[in-house]
Amino acid sequence: MLIDAIRAELFRFSRNGTVWLWSLLVIPLGSAIVGIFARQFLMTSLQKAAASSPASLVIPKAAMNLGDVITDQTAQLAGINLLAFFLIAAATISASDYRWESWRLIRPRNSGRNLILGKGIAIAVIALVPLSLHLVCETFGRIISASLENRSIVIGFETKQAGATVLMFVVAWLRTLQVAALALLAGVATRSIFGGYVVPMAVSAGTFLLAGMLSGFGWDANQWRTLLLFPAKAHDVLQSALAGGPIPAATNVKAIIGLMFWLAAPTALAIWLFERQDLSKE
């Protein structure tokens, strides 16, 4: 029955062209296009400056390592822009049945736990699309920029770096799901797509602002309470460790627990709250 719920959510989302256009495609494609023009503008400015400089001061163009580009872009996948637009999809999936008053038709056919988990798993599967597409578009954009700049392209991707890059992608995916879990809880609690979008945005913005004030209160970025209460910090710690930063193993474990807590707790609360709602008239 859980499989049926997942398939139903994925099918319904595939038919909502407006939502998947804005939530899945806008940021990856827009970011790549803007990046190409921005890098080209910068290179044109540098070329003009180099033309008026002595030949001895002109720096030769270095080759672009495609492996390093992919690793760098993967570490930055779960950015605020991508999360903000993906929340449109998460909020729509979480609360659309309240909006269209279809719960009274669906609820008798499956358990409340399966229905909410079906939405959560569907969101998790869909989240792979903007993350993967963003990585592909950014990498392709960098290749185009390098070609326009007449830079050579080399592929240097060692096994260790490839493994770290895959783990970076997983961490970015978990960070995206953590924010989406807040949308799931907010959508069930408010019974509104608007609430499912605004609440996680407000929580994310609030925790971001508070995280910037931690040093003033004597909180260290690697402390247990910091990593548990601020999932963005946990995400940053894990990405830094995978990039080769000097992060202790114990801190990495705390960061993983903190990130998973913010993923599991909202989902469990959403299931608990949903099973106590009277949906006979919704």
Side-chain angles (χ1 to χ4, degrees):
M1 297 298 284
L2 176 59
I3 299 298
D4 293 337
I6 298 170
R7 291 174 60 187
E9 294 296 339
L10 292 175
F11 176 77
R12 288 197 292 176
F13 182 79
S14 68
R15 297 293 181 174
N16 197 338
T18 302
V19 173
W20 62 254
L21 173 64
W22 283 97
S23 61
L24 307 185
L25 301 182
V26 168
I27 290 300
L29 297 178
S31 178
I33 294 173
V34 171
I36 292 173
F37 282 102
R39 284 188 290 270
Q40 187 61 24
F41 175 79
L42 177 60
M43 181 54 56
T44 302
S45 301
L46 291 175
Q47 288 175 349
K48 290 181 179 179
S52 59
S53 302
S56 59
L57 298 179
V58 177
I59 301 175
K61 298 177 182 178
M64 187 187 77
N65 189 323
L66 194 58
D68 291 341
V69 169
I70 294 174
T71 300
D72 293 341
Q73 294 299 326
T74 304
Q76 304 172 31
L77 275 181
I80 183 62
N81 293 335
L82 188 142
L83 293 178
F85 276 80
F86 180 69
L87 274 177
I88 298 173
T92 301
I93 294 173
S94 301
S96 59
D97 288 298
Y98 293 103
R99 179 183 180 183
W100 300 115
E101 300 181 353
S102 53
W103 271 133
R104 59 190 177 88
L105 302 175
I106 301 172
R107 182 65 179 86
R109 303 177 185 178
N110 211 329
S111 68
R113 182 184 62 182
N114 285 344
L115 291 172
I116 297 300
L117 284 178
K119 289 182 178 293
I121 295 174
I123 291 172
V125 173
I126 294 169
L128 294 172
V129 176
L131 291 172
S132 302
L133 187 60
H134 193 272
L135 181 59
V136 171
C137 288
E138 283 291 335
T139 303
F140 187 65
R142 294 290 294 272
I143 293 174
I144 292 177
S145 296
S147 300
L148 294 174
E149 298 165 10
N150 294 320
R151 294 173 58 190
S152 59
I153 301 175
V154 298
I155 302 177
F157 220 4
E158 298 178 356
T159 303
K160 183 178 180 180
Q161 181 182 359
T165 303
V166 172
L167 291 177
M168 285 179 178
F169 186 91
V170 173
V171 171
W173 181 57
L174 291 177
R175 168 62 174 158
T176 305
L177 297 187
Q178 175 263 306
V179 178
L182 292 175
L184 183 63
L185 174 59
V188 172
T190 64
R191 307 186 183 202
S192 164
I193 295 177
F194 180 77
Y197 182 85
V198 171
V199 171
M201 282 295 293
V203 172
S204 298
T207 54
F208 175 79
L209 293 175
L210 286 175
M213 306 176 186
L214 292 180
S215 59
F217 295 97
W219 284 36
D220 184 79
N222 295 334
Q223 286 181 331
W224 170 247
R225 56 187 178 181
T226 303
L227 298 175
L228 183 61
L229 296 178
F230 298 95
K233 287 289 186 182
H235 167 264
D236 293 343
V237 165
L238 291 173
Q239 294 291 29
S240 297
L242 290 171
I247 308 296
T251 301
N252 291 330
V253 173
K254 295 175 184 177
I256 294 172
I257 294 174
L259 198 59
M260 295 304 297
F261 170 79
W262 277 85
L263 173 59
T267 304
L269 284 174
I271 295 173
W272 178 83
L273 183 61
F274 179 76
E275 291 184 335
R276 283 155 181 78
Q277 289 179 341
D278 181 12
L279 304 173
S280 59
K281 297 181 180 179
E282 299 193 47

